[in-house]
Amino acid sequence: MTVIDFLFPKKCLGCPREGNYFCSSCRLKIKSIDRLVCPVCENPSPFGETHFSCRSRYCLNGLISFFAYEGIIREAIHQLKFKYVTDLADEFFKILLKIWNEDKDNRFLQIKRFIKEKNPVLVAVPLFWYKENQRGFNQAEIFAEKFAQLWSLEFKKDFLIRSKFTSPQAGLTQEQRKKNMENVFSLNLNIQSPISNIILVDDIWTTGATLKTCGTILKKSGTKKVWGLTVTR
């Protein structure tokens, strides 16, 4: 135990117990995603691949998510993003890693094949510079770096740029979310060469407007395949 832990003990995000952000009892209540969906129509799809009938030139090739955005997981994302409790990310990732390693239903078969055969680069959905400076970090980057280390892949920081501030997506309709993302992202002009294969990382998938917009920009820049990966959905 560190001095910080002694003075400010960690408390479970789901109950009053101290010691960890996710106590053993509350971990059992965490709901993982048991059915992956097509990122275009959001109907069930084996391995999270985009349905053949949904495919278009600039769409995402697939989508992987790990947790349902509810309960203690929702609280963890909230604490990370808005309360700046960055040290919970390590504990959070250990739970995620358990789901990845215990993939009994082979849900992640295609993304594992994509990683093995295509050696993709990890790219995080960017924050607007002011918000990142204010927060001190980008939560999507935290997870993207951890995935890159896990899979021994390259993480490309600042490959995408968020060029303007937008209002929060929460509370907006699907159409409003889509409009909110117009002309928001761009490719970093200091990076000249395109990347053939990318895993695009964000913390939450709600309507998918953010990831879809970023995916389109990456595809138009010359990327052949883009898989979306979110911690929650």
Side-chain angles (χ1 to χ4, degrees), residues 123-132 138 141 156-166 180-192 198 200 210 213-215 217-218 221:
V123 172
V125 170
L127 287 176
F128 184 57
W129 68 268
Y130 179 80
K131 184 178 288 187
E132 184 167 354
N138 176 358
E141 283 187 0
K156 187 75 76 173
K157 184 178 173 65
D158 297 329
F159 191 73
L160 285 170
I161 294 175
R162 196 172 195 131
S163 53
K164 71 176 184 179
F165 179 79
T166 57
N180 200 35
M181 289 296 103
E182 290 180 358
N183 303 314
V184 170
F185 301 101
S186 61
L187 203 64
N188 189 338
L189 296 178
N190 294 321
I191 300 175
Q192 300 298 323
I198 285 176
L200 181 62
T210 303
T213 300
C214 289
I217 291 169
L218 292 171
S221 76

Side-chain angles (χ1 to χ4, degrees), residues 2 9 16 30 37 82 100 127 181 201 203 205:
T2 66
I30 293 174
V37 299
F82 305 115
W100 176 262
L127 287 176
M181 289 296 103
V201 181
D203 54 349
W205 174 283

Side-chain angles (χ1 to χ4, degrees), residues 89-101:
D90 289 336
E91 202 173 319
F92 200 158
F93 196 75
K94 287 179 181 178
I95 300 172
L96 187 153
L97 187 58
K98 189 173 186 292
I99 295 173
W100 176 262
N101 290 333

Side-chain angles (χ1 to χ4, degrees), residues 9-48:
K10 296 176 182 177
K11 292 185 179 180
C12 178
L13 299 174
C15 72
R17 293 183 185 179
E18 294 185 352
N20 296 287
Y21 290 114
F22 303 87
C23 75
S24 55
S25 296
C26 288
R27 284 190 183 202
L28 297 176
K29 301 175 185 177
I30 293 174
K31 185 178 178 182
S32 62
I33 297 292
D34 58 0
R35 183 175 290 183
L36 299 176
V37 299
C38 165
V40 177
C41 69
E42 297 192 50
N43 287 318
S45 174
F47 318 118

Side-chain angles (χ1 to χ4, degrees), residues 96-112:
L96 187 153
L97 187 58
K98 189 173 186 292
I99 295 173
W100 176 262
N101 290 333
E102 297 178 358
D103 183 26
K104 297 177 182 178
D105 300 327
N106 288 321
R107 284 173 294 172
F108 307 129
L109 179 65
Q110 285 303 96
I111 190 73
K112 288 179 178 179

Side-chain angles (χ1 to χ4, degrees), residues 10-87:
K10 296 176 182 177
K11 292 185 179 180
C12 178
L13 299 174
C15 72
R17 293 183 185 179
E18 294 185 352
N20 296 287
Y21 290 114
F22 303 87
C23 75
S24 55
S25 296
C26 288
R27 284 190 183 202
L28 297 176
K29 301 175 185 177
I30 293 174
K31 185 178 178 182
S32 62
I33 297 292
D34 58 0
R35 183 175 290 183
L36 299 176
V37 299
C38 165
V40 177
C41 69
E42 297 192 50
N43 287 318
S45 174
F47 318 118
E49 286 188 294
T50 301
H51 294 138
F52 182 80
S53 59
C54 292
R55 292 176 192 172
S56 61
R57 186 175 182 181
Y58 300 126
C59 74
L60 294 172
N61 294 90
L63 172 68
I64 296 296
S65 302
F66 290 88
F67 303 107
Y69 186 56
E70 59 184 40
I72 191 171
I73 294 297
R74 182 170 184 163
E75 180 61 22
I77 293 291
H78 180 85
Q79 290 289 328
L80 181 61
K81 290 176 68 171
F82 305 115
K83 301 297 182 179
Y84 313 148
V85 187
T86 54
D87 64 329

